[in-house]
């Protein structure tokens, strides 16, 4: 049985939810699942926009056939070749040998590499600015390199103002029947997963995302159809504004992400003292996590969200605690920048970690400001460190006022 949603009088969502996959890209936890979106346009010609992951292929094919109702599938537009969207190309073509595939040159090369075989005479190669008419609808093709792979492009329906945005504006989370942004409470239920998806998957490529947003600003966009998560049919400014923050590495909120690495609870207790003192002085926008117990994708997401980070770490093998080092390396890999950072260090006999974390932040990352006032404890916090803790609290709050 097909499970589809009608988006307009001639455009259908024919994707599917996946709640069985534990790790997206075999690395990021998705407790709320994920959707693989595909769209089918019924014009004089029929046009399918992207396919779906292999895991949902059967449902996806039933959806396509259910909407086609015996019609031929004339065209398949491939905006992005990552297998979570392209894996079912061959299955579609086996059922519809009449279909012509439209994509760009690099995308066809990648399809070939992945084994999604499209015969040469069934290919139409497009480039930036090309258009194709399918009846009432004319689609323009816009390059979107590195959002999230180099071959990525987006397709824009000039007739209706619908942007088929590939990975851009996507989110983790299964749809559960509710396809439109105004059918859910996005801010309450989806924003955290949208941020976690963006920052971990595309976060590294902010300048490329800004290029795409620049091109998109020239278009009269009425609806955004991403490859994951809800379709945007109003309040588009809201999600574009979030994307501008994330892509330019500007924090969304004044607040503190406090991440601690603690072996026996003493560094954690010290971090708790900081959090309590911040709250006492009115800064309650605090997110506090154990680096050993929190999947790094959540830490990355909040690092993009908040203006300030506090890293509290024990010294380990005369260096940075491995899980904290992993967090630092991931922030660097994803190009996070422009944050103010406070440091709490702990070492029972050779406390090196504060200096090493400062060195990492200042030498390996861009525009990271480490506050001069840090806290050093030896094994546990005592009254002797209260003054330096108060100085760190004041340093955080004063730098927030200045920002
Ligand atoms: Fe959802 Fe880059 O694929």
């Amino acid at each position: 049985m097909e499970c589809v949603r009608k988006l307009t009088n001639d455009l259908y969502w024919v994707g599917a939810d996946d709640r069985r996959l534990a790790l997206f890209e075999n690395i990021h936890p998705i407790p709320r699942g994920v959707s693989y979106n595909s769209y089918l346009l019924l014009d004089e010609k029929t046009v399918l926009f992207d396919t779906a992951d292999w895991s949902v292929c059967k449902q996806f094919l039933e959806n396509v056939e259910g909407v086609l109702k015996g019609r031929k599938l004339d065209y398949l537009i491939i905006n992005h070749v990552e297998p979570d969207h392209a894996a079912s190309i061959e299955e579609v073509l086996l059922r519809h040998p009449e279909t012509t595939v439209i994509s760009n040159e690099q995308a066809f090369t990648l399809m070939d590499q992945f084994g999604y075989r499209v015969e040469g005479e069934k290919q139409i190669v497009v480039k930036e600015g090309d258009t194709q008419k399918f009846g009432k609808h004319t689609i323009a093709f816009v390059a979107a390199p590195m959002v999230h792979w180099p071959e990525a492009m987006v397709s824009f329906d000039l007739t209706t103002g619908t942007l088929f945005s590939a990975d851009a504006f996507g989110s983790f989370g299964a749809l559960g029947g509710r396809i439109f942004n105004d059918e859910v409470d996005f801010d309450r239920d989806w924003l955290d997963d949208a941020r976690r998806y963006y920052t971990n998957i595309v976060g590294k490529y902010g300048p490329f995302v800004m290029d795409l947003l620049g091109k998109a600003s020239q278009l009269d966009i009425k609806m955004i159809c991403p490859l994951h998560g809800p379709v945007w049919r109003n309040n588009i400014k809201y999600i574009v504004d979030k994307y501008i923050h994330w892509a330019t590495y500007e924090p969304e909120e004044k607040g503190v992400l406090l991440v601690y690495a603690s072996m026996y609870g003493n560094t954690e207790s010290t971090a708790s003292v900081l959090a309590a003192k911040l709250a006492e002085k009115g800064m309650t926008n605090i997110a506090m996590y154990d680096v050993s117990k929190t999947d790094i994708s959540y830490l990355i997401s909040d690092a993009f969200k908040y203006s300030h980070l506090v890293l509290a770490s024990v010294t380990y093998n005369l260096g940075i605690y491995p899980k904290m080092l992993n967090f630092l390396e991931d922030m660097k890999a994803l190009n996070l920048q422009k944050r103010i950072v406070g440091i709490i260090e702990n070492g029972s006999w050779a406390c090196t970690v504060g200096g090493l974390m400062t060195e990492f932040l200042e030498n390996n990352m861009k525009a990271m400001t480490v506050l001069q006032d840090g806290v050093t404890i030896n094994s546990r916090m005592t009254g002797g460190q209260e003054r330096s803790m108060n100085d760190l609290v004041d340093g955080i709050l004063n730098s927030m006022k200045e920002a």
Side-chain angles (χ1 to χ4, degrees):
M1 172 74 195
E2 73 264 26
C3 177
V4 303
R5 284 291 308 267
K6 192 169 183 175
L7 304 187
T8 65
N9 64 336
D10 55 6
L11 181 67
Y12 293 78
W13 174 82
V14 291
D17 284 337
D18 184 352
R19 292 188 182 78
R20 297 170 118 191
L21 185 71
L23 297 174
F24 188 81
E25 293 186 344
N26 210 16
I27 184 167
H28 307 297
I30 44 169
R32 294 177 58 242
V34 69
S35 73
Y36 308 109
N37 297 342
S38 170
Y39 304 93
L40 182 53
L41 178 68
L42 302 181
D43 201 348
E44 286 169 29
K45 302 291 183 185
T46 57
V47 187
L48 183 63
F49 294 83
D50 294 290
T51 69
D53 190 85
W54 188 249
S55 61
V56 297
C57 183
K58 188 171 181 298
Q59 181 68 61
F60 160 67
L61 292 170
E62 281 189 48
N63 294 347
V64 171
E65 299 313 322
V67 173
L68 282 174
K69 292 192 185 346
R71 284 185 70 177
K72 290 191 304 179
L73 179 63
D74 298 301
Y75 293 98
L76 168 59
I77 293 174
I78 295 296
N79 287 307
H80 184 24
V81 185
E82 193 165 9
D84 55 333
H85 312 294
S88 301
I89 290 175
E90 212 166 15
E91 285 300 313
V92 170
L93 298 182
L94 281 169
R95 285 160 175 76
H96 292 279
E98 74 279 9
T99 304
T100 297
V101 180
I102 301 175
S103 198
N104 61 67
E105 193 173 347
Q106 189 169 20
F108 280 116
T109 302
L110 285 175
M111 282 180 232
D112 198 48
Q113 282 178 209
F114 276 105
Y116 312 144
R117 230 159 34 84
V118 183
E119 299 298 339
E121 67 272 15
K122 288 292 182 188
Q123 297 181 9
I124 293 179
V125 180
V126 292
K127 57 183 183 336
E128 171 91 4
D130 285 355
T131 59
Q132 185 93 22
K133 196 167 168 49
F134 299 105
K136 285 201 311 263
H137 296 261
T138 299
I139 304 290
F141 303 100
V142 179
M146 302 320 298
V147 187
H148 132 240
W149 278 12
E151 91 300 352
M153 65 179 198
V154 299
S155 301
F156 184 64
D157 187 332
L158 294 164
T159 314
T160 61
T162 302
L163 180 69
F164 298 92
S165 63
D167 273 343
F169 306 109
S171 178
F172 293 140
L175 291 164
R178 296 169 301 174
I179 186 74
F180 291 110
N181 68 297
D182 55 20
E183 295 176 335
V184 299
D185 187 333
F186 194 89
D187 211 60
R188 187 190 66 193
D189 298 333
W190 283 84
L191 177 60
D192 285 345
D193 260 339
R195 185 190 304 104
R196 195 163 63 87
Y197 167 83
Y198 172 86
T199 56
N200 285 279
I201 306 292
V202 197
K204 183 180 181 64
Y205 305 115
F208 294 95
V209 175
M210 288 307 292
D211 284 348
L212 178 61
L213 291 178
K215 292 180 191 178
S217 69
Q218 307 300 312
L219 307 172
D220 185 15
I221 298 172
K222 301 280 198 312
M223 186 157 73
I224 298 176
C225 293
L227 288 176
H228 304 284
V231 167
W232 289 84
R233 66 177 172 186
N234 57 31
N235 208 13
I236 287 171
K237 194 173 166 302
Y238 166 92
I239 193 66
V240 170
D241 181 65
K242 295 293 180 195
Y243 261 65
I244 290 171
H245 279 87
W246 300 335
T248 56
Y249 306 99
E250 294 292 342
E252 282 169 76
E253 295 179 9
K254 284 188 181 179
V256 180
L257 167 63
L258 207 173
V259 179
Y260 64 87
S262 187
M263 291 164 65
Y264 297 104
N266 293 300
T267 309
E268 179 183 1
S269 296
T270 309
S272 295
V273 171
L274 175 77
K277 284 179 177 287
L278 283 169
E280 191 73 35
K281 290 203 164 184
M283 172 34 68
T284 54
N285 197 19
I286 302 166
M288 184 168 169
Y289 298 104
D290 183 340
V291 77
S292 298
K293 294 198 176 70
T294 313
D295 183 82
I296 196 164
S297 66
Y298 293 88
L299 303 180
I300 290 294
S301 183
D302 273 4
F304 273 70
K305 177 179 176 182
Y306 292 110
S307 58
H308 286 61
L309 313 181
V310 173
L311 306 180
S313 181
V314 66
T315 302
Y316 199 83
N317 285 332
L318 296 181
I320 302 173
Y321 190 75
K323 300 263 187 183
M324 184 62 84
L325 180 59
N326 189 38
F327 177 41
L328 285 162
E329 294 280 8
D330 211 18
M331 284 195 286
K332 176 191 161 199
L334 292 166
N335 212 11
L336 181 73
Q337 45 193 279
K338 306 182 192 172
R339 293 298 183 274
I340 296 171
V341 188
I343 299 284
I344 297 173
E345 62 172 352
N346 188 1
S348 292
W349 60 91
C351 189
T352 61
V353 68
L356 292 171
M357 290 196 295
T358 300
E359 204 175 291
F360 189 101
L361 290 157
E362 291 182 342
N363 297 343
N364 294 338
M365 296 175 70
K366 294 178 202 152
M368 300 296 272
T369 305
V370 179
L371 292 168
Q372 288 212 320
D373 297 306
V375 175
T376 299
I377 61 169
N378 299 121
S379 304
R380 68 186 175 95
M381 185 176 173
T382 64
Q385 285 97 41
E386 187 152 22
R387 175 179 283 188
S388 60
M389 179 63 84
N390 289 336
D391 288 345
L392 176 56
V393 169
D394 289 342
I396 291 169
L397 295 176
N398 289 336
S399 61
M400 270 186 196
K401 282 185 210 143
E402 287 158 17

